[in-house]
Amino acid sequence: MFQIYFTDRETIHDYRDYCSHVDTQRYSRFIQLLLDHGIYMTPSNGLHWIISTAHSEADVAELLNAADQACAELS
Protein backbone atom coordinates (compact mmCIF):
# COMPACT_ATOMS: atom_id res chain seq x y z
CA MET A 1 0.00 0.00 0.00
CA PHE A 2 1.36 3.43 -0.90
CA GLN A 3 0.35 6.93 -1.96
CA ILE A 4 1.64 9.26 -4.65
CA TYR A 5 1.68 13.01 -4.14
CA PHE A 6 2.91 15.74 -6.43
CA THR A 7 4.64 18.27 -4.19
CA ASP A 8 7.80 20.30 -3.86
CA ARG A 9 8.27 18.98 -0.30
CA GLU A 10 10.34 15.93 0.56
CA THR A 11 7.61 14.44 2.74
CA ILE A 12 3.97 14.94 3.59
CA HIS A 13 3.43 14.21 7.28
CA ASP A 14 -0.19 15.06 7.92
CA TYR A 15 -3.41 16.46 6.52
CA ARG A 16 -2.23 20.07 6.97
CA ASP A 17 0.81 19.35 4.81
CA TYR A 18 -1.43 17.64 2.29
CA CYS A 19 -3.83 20.61 2.09
CA SER A 20 -1.02 23.16 1.85
CA HIS A 21 1.56 21.49 -0.34
CA VAL A 22 0.05 18.80 -2.59
CA ASP A 23 -0.81 19.58 -6.22
CA THR A 24 -4.11 17.71 -6.54
CA GLN A 25 -4.76 19.02 -10.06
CA ARG A 26 -1.47 17.53 -11.26
CA TYR A 27 -2.44 14.23 -9.62
CA SER A 28 -5.78 14.31 -11.46
CA ARG A 29 -3.96 14.88 -14.76
CA PHE A 30 -1.57 12.00 -13.92
CA ILE A 31 -4.52 9.67 -13.22
CA GLN A 32 -6.12 10.64 -16.54
CA LEU A 33 -2.84 9.91 -18.34
CA LEU A 34 -2.63 6.50 -16.63
CA LEU A 35 -6.16 5.79 -17.81
CA ASP A 36 -5.13 6.80 -21.33
CA HIS A 37 -2.41 4.13 -21.05
CA GLY A 38 -4.85 1.45 -19.85
CA ILE A 39 -4.33 1.71 -16.09
CA TYR A 40 -7.24 2.57 -13.79
CA MET A 41 -6.25 3.97 -10.40
CA THR A 42 -8.38 5.68 -7.81
CA PRO A 43 -9.03 9.29 -8.80
CA SER A 44 -8.85 10.34 -5.13
CA ASN A 45 -5.43 11.68 -4.15
CA GLY A 46 -6.24 10.92 -0.52
CA LEU A 47 -6.59 7.15 -0.95
CA HIS A 48 -3.85 4.51 -0.99
CA TRP A 49 -2.78 2.53 -4.01
CA ILE A 50 -2.73 -1.21 -3.33
CA ILE A 51 -0.76 -3.92 -5.10
CA SER A 52 -1.60 -7.43 -3.99
CA THR A 53 -0.46 -10.98 -4.65
CA ALA A 54 -3.25 -11.15 -7.25
CA HIS A 55 -1.12 -8.82 -9.42
CA SER A 56 1.53 -10.52 -11.49
CA GLU A 57 5.01 -9.19 -12.19
CA ALA A 58 3.71 -8.34 -15.66
CA ASP A 59 0.88 -6.28 -14.11
CA VAL A 60 3.38 -4.33 -12.00
CA ALA A 61 5.66 -3.82 -15.01
CA GLU A 62 2.70 -2.53 -17.03
CA LEU A 63 1.82 -0.08 -14.24
CA LEU A 64 5.41 1.15 -13.98
CA ASN A 65 5.66 1.58 -17.74
CA ALA A 66 2.39 3.53 -17.88
CA ALA A 67 3.47 5.66 -14.88
CA ASP A 68 6.78 6.43 -16.61
CA GLN A 69 4.95 7.51 -19.75
CA ALA A 70 2.41 9.55 -17.79
CA CYS A 71 5.17 11.34 -15.85
CA ALA A 72 6.97 12.14 -19.08
CA GLU A 73 3.77 13.61 -20.50
CA LEU A 74 3.22 15.72 -17.37
CA SER A 75 6.51 17.55 -17.87
Side-chain angles (χ1 to χ4, degrees):
M1 193 167 26
F2 60 97
Q3 288 178 284
I4 292 179
Y5 296 127
F6 290 95
T7 181
D8 58 357
R9 312 259 322 218
E10 270 194 46
T11 59
I12 298 297
H13 293 286
D14 55 32
Y15 189 69
R16 285 191 278 303
D17 284 351
Y18 172 83
C19 291
S20 300
H21 303 290
V22 171
D23 186 342
T24 57
Q25 289 184 1
R26 189 172 182 142
Y27 178 84
S28 293
R29 176 78 176 116
F30 176 68
I31 292 303
Q32 182 59 53
L33 289 167
L34 283 180
L35 190 57
D36 292 347
H37 292 286
I39 302 293
Y40 174 79
M41 296 304 281
T42 179
S44 174
N45 195 193
L47 297 177
H48 291 85
W49 291 24
I50 299 170
I51 296 176
S52 75
T53 57
H55 295 99
S56 68
E57 286 187 31
D59 294 330
V60 174
E62 185 177 349
L63 167 62
L64 293 174
N65 184 47
D68 255 356
Q69 292 175 18
C71 284
E73 292 172 37
L74 279 174
S75 301

